[in-house]
Each structure stands twice: as structure tokens, then as C-alpha cells.
Amino acid sequence: MMRNLGFLIVLLLSVACSQTEQSSFANIELSPQQSESISEVKLAPAFPSAAELFAQHANDEMVEGRGEVVRLLADDNKGSRHQKFLVEVGSGQTLLFAHNIDLALRINALKVGDNIEFRGEYSYNPKGGVVHWTHLDPRNQHEAGWIKHNGITYQ
């Protein structure tokens, strides 16, 4: 009875969290024994924050977060085209976004003051860092990134 109750609770948590856009329970895994208790539930590791990656001078690390657009920059049209803009994240840190518009749709409605959510690859620089790979990999060899703006996911 307790085993079935524990499994039911885990299942309900999983369903409830999968319906929530931002949830740390979204990737629940059950143990091989079908989880005799909730303590056996394993959560997928969360991405480090941009602040943590900045402090570590990290490169080529996936990051996920949200922030406010503080500046729109001219597109970079040399080689692969990139939409560029600055986003301030909760820690006050500013990130430069290089959103590849040869592989993903350009965010035409983006304005200063807008809030976005994102997943991409972080690379350190002394000004706060750069986020790129905010798109799908056409070769399916790199973890996908995305940008959410006004309810639309760009990838």
C-alpha cells in the first residue's frame, strides 16, 4: 500500500510539474524499483546560473535563466548572421546575446524593457559573458537552446 502511495504521489507531482512552464521537477526519473518512496526520486541537475559561470570564468557551459533586455545592438551580418542584444539578469550581471538568425527566427518584436527567458551556451568575458547557441543544432550534436519572448519560443 505504501509503495503504491509513494508511486502515485511521484506520478502526480510529475504530471503537475510538467504542466508548469518553469519547474525544477520537470525531469523526474523513477528508480528501477518504481520508487518505493519519494526519497528515491532523482532530479535532473539544474543548469548553473550566469552569476556562477561568470565567477568561474566558465566557457562552453549551458545556462538557463531570465532577464530584462537593456539594449538592442545592430545585427552581426558577417558570416552566420546574429541578432545581438544585452540582457540584465537578476544578479545585475549583463549578458550579450548572439542569437543565430540563420538557424532560428529573428525576434522582431524585441524591445528594451522586455523580459525574456533563455537557454544557451555561456562563454565568459569580463563584461558579464556571452550567450549563444539559442537555437536547435541542425546536426543534432549540441544541446538545443532557445529564447522565450512574449509567449513565443524562438529556437
Side-chain angles (χ1 to χ4, degrees):
M1 176 77 176
M2 286 302 290
R3 177 180 176 160
N4 290 338
L5 181 59
F7 178 75
L8 181 60
I9 291 170
V10 169
L11 182 62
L12 290 173
L13 279 172
S14 177
V15 169
C17 291
S18 69
Q19 295 173 352
T20 304
E21 218 175 284
Q22 288 291 321
S23 172
S24 60
F25 294 105
N27 294 320
I28 291 179
E29 297 177 27
L30 297 178
S31 70
Q33 296 81 25
Q34 292 292 322
S35 180
E36 290 189 17
S37 70
I38 292 178
S39 64
E40 293 183 45
V41 175
K42 298 177 185 175
L43 300 179
F47 292 108
S49 70
E52 291 170 315
L53 295 174
F54 180 73
Q56 298 167 7
H57 293 205
N59 286 304
D60 307 324
E61 295 284 337
M62 292 301 286
V63 64
E64 194 171 291
R66 62 181 62 204
E68 180 181 333
V69 176
V70 293
R71 188 166 179 201
L72 301 176
L73 304 168
D75 289 354
D76 178 358
N77 292 314
K78 296 175 188 162
S80 296
R81 298 175 311 128
H82 289 81
Q83 180 179 11
K84 296 174 82 176
F85 52 94
L86 298 176
V87 172
E88 185 176 306
V89 293
S91 63
Q93 177 181 358
T94 302
L95 301 172
L96 169 63
F97 277 74
H99 178 61
N100 188 319
I101 53 177
D102 284 335
L103 297 175
L105 292 176
R106 188 175 198 291
I107 310 168
N108 289 321
L110 193 65
K111 301 183 309 280
V112 170
D114 287 354
N115 290 304
I116 66 163
E117 296 176 47
F118 61 87
R119 176 184 295 163
E121 189 175 274
Y122 175 89
S123 292
Y124 172 83
N125 76 23
K127 293 183 178 182
V130 178
V131 176
H132 59 112
W133 277 98
T134 54
H135 55 81
L136 298 171
D137 178 4
R139 295 183 184 146
N140 207 23
Q141 296 176 346
H142 191 284
E143 186 167 355
W146 44 260
I147 296 174
K148 291 182 185 178
H149 174 256
N150 289 341
I152 299 171
T153 302
Y154 297 83
Q155 61 179 164

